[in-house]
């Protein structure tokens, strides 16, 4: 049985990517097709959503620069973009629903669930869903660089972020009687310290721990894996104070910068890992 699984690993990975992609794209498009009786608002929706190119375009140029700097193979790079847009948002949503169902059935106080529910669901399900995209691509390619893992994680996180922001704009316009533009600007305001920052570090930690690399210590791998989950937890928690976004955003960037400096210092041959 073990021999059969190893021999057909690539086929299983391709099947998983295919199923998750079809499910994610279907869920995304189906949700956008629900006009809730306001089909006349689609032009406004597309215009409001186009504002997100304010952060998407610079990010594309950033990843293209890192692709060249780290010599990231084109298949790994472009698969990260496609599967990052297709898979993690839907998978994270399903995970959030599952954990929320568990919390509701624990008979916890309603105030606790209202205040802390987002902190006990999203940081775990969403980071795992984004990291899974990188892991599946790495398993398919069999060899990956730790430098590539960091950038692929950033891309998978941006894919999640794009789909999530579009959903919030859609919800604001079609269900909450908003104008769409205010929500778009709100999402743009936090775009520099959002999902892609979390997932870049998380994916790096995941690949370090899943591989047999000695180029980076397992302790660092654990830190890279858990730090973004902890920061995501804090971000979703009800703990609030003046300039909280600035504080959390700065910490997120410092963690990502540490991860970047760690892999950037590795010689190319030491950065490669097999899975």
């Amino acid at each position: 049985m073990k021999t059969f699984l190893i021999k057909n690993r690539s086929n299983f990975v391709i099947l998983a990517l295919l199923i998750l992609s079809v499910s994610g794209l279907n869920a995304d498009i189906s949700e956008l097709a629900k006009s809730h009786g306001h089909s006349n608002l689609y032009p406004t929706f597309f215009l409001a959503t186009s504002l997100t190119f304010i952060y998407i375009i610079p990010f594309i140029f950033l990843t293209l620069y890192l692709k060249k700097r780290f010599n990231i193979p084109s298949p790994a790079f472009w698969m990260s973009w496609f599967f990052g847009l297709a898979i993690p948002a839907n998978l994270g949503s399903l995970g959030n629903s599952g954990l929320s169902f568990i919390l509701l059935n624990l008979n916890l106080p309603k105030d606790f669930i209202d205040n802390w529910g987002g902190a006990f669901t999203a940081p775990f399900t969403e980071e795992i869903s984004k990291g899974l995209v990188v892991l599946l691509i790495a398993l398919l390619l069999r060899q990956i660089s730790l430098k590539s893992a960091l950038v692929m994680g950033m891309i998978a996180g941006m894919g999640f972020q794009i789909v999530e922001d579009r959903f919030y704009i859609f919800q604001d316009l079609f269900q909450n009687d908003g104008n769409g533009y205010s929500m778009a600007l709100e999402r743009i305001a936090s775009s520099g310290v959002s999902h892609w920052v979390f997932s870049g570090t998380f994916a790096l930690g995941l690949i370090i721990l899943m591989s047999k690399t000695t180029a980076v210590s397992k302790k660092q791998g654990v830190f890279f894996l858990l730090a973004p989950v902890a920061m995501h937890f804090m971000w979703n928690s009800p703990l609030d104070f003046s300039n909280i976004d600035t504080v959390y955003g700065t910490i997120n960037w410092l963690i990502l910068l540490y991860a970047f400096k760690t892999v950037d210092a590795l010689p190319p041959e030491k950065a490669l890992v097999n899975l």
Side-chain angles (χ1 to χ4, degrees):
M1 183 65 178
K2 183 178 180 181
T3 303
F4 173 80
L5 292 175
I6 294 174
K7 184 177 180 180
N8 293 278
R9 186 179 74 171
S10 295
N11 294 329
F12 287 125
V13 172
I14 292 172
L15 181 62
L17 287 169
L18 179 61
I19 293 173
L20 292 172
S21 296
V22 171
S23 174
L25 291 171
N26 179 66
D28 187 29
I29 296 172
S30 296
E31 189 62 35
L32 294 179
K34 299 175 183 177
S35 65
H36 301 279
H38 302 291
S39 57
N40 60 304
L41 294 177
Y42 277 111
T44 303
F45 167 69
F46 289 120
L47 283 173
T49 302
S50 68
L51 291 176
T52 58
F53 282 105
I54 290 173
Y55 69 77
I56 294 172
I57 292 176
F59 183 82
I60 290 173
F61 280 104
L62 171 64
T63 56
L64 287 171
Y65 163 74
L66 292 174
K67 178 180 184 294
K68 183 177 180 181
R69 180 184 179 111
F70 291 157
N71 195 28
I72 301 173
S74 290
F77 183 83
W78 295 114
M79 279 195 292
S80 298
W81 270 110
F82 177 78
F83 293 124
L85 286 164
I87 294 175
N90 179 55
L91 196 59
S93 177
L94 293 173
N96 286 340
S97 297
L99 282 184
S100 296
F101 178 79
I102 293 173
L103 289 177
L104 288 171
N105 281 275
L106 291 177
N107 295 320
L108 298 172
K110 186 178 182 300
D111 287 344
F112 177 86
I113 293 179
D114 290 341
N115 292 326
W116 288 92
F120 280 100
T121 56
F124 306 97
T125 60
E126 293 177 3
E127 296 314 317
I128 290 173
S129 69
K130 292 177 287 182
L132 181 63
V133 169
V134 178
L135 179 60
L136 288 173
I137 296 173
L139 289 171
L140 183 62
L141 298 176
R142 296 181 180 271
Q143 187 178 69
I144 189 177
S145 146
L146 294 179
K147 301 179 182 186
S148 296
L150 176 68
V151 179
M152 290 164 65
M154 291 165 55
I155 294 172
M158 179 54 72
F160 182 105
Q161 187 171 323
I162 290 171
V163 175
E164 182 182 68
D165 287 357
R166 186 176 59 195
F167 170 76
Y168 277 120
I169 296 169
F170 183 88
Q171 188 179 52
D172 178 64
L173 189 60
F174 285 83
Q175 299 179 43
N176 300 335
D177 297 322
N179 59 29
Y181 296 105
S182 298
M183 178 58 68
L185 293 174
E186 182 180 325
R187 303 304 293 181
I188 290 168
S190 61
S191 61
V193 293
S194 190
H195 286 286
W196 66 274
V197 183
F198 293 134
S199 59
T201 311
F202 182 90
L204 174 61
L206 181 63
I207 296 301
I208 290 171
L209 296 176
M210 291 294 293
S211 68
K212 296 180 180 180
T213 183
T214 57
V216 179
S217 71
K218 296 302 180 184
K219 288 183 179 180
Q220 285 176 294
V222 171
F223 173 78
F224 291 142
L225 187 78
L226 297 183
V229 175
M231 290 308 304
H232 198 160
F233 178 90
M234 295 297 293
W235 197 289
N236 283 22
S237 75
L239 301 176
D240 197 6
F241 53 85
S242 179
N243 294 318
I244 185 173
D245 290 347
T246 301
V247 173
Y248 286 163
T250 301
I251 296 173
N252 288 339
W253 265 97
L254 289 174
I255 295 170
L256 181 65
L257 181 61
Y258 172 48
F260 175 83
K261 290 177 70 68
T262 298
V263 299
D264 191 43
L266 295 175
E269 64 278 5
K270 289 189 175 182
L272 284 175
V273 298
N274 297 308
L275 286 99

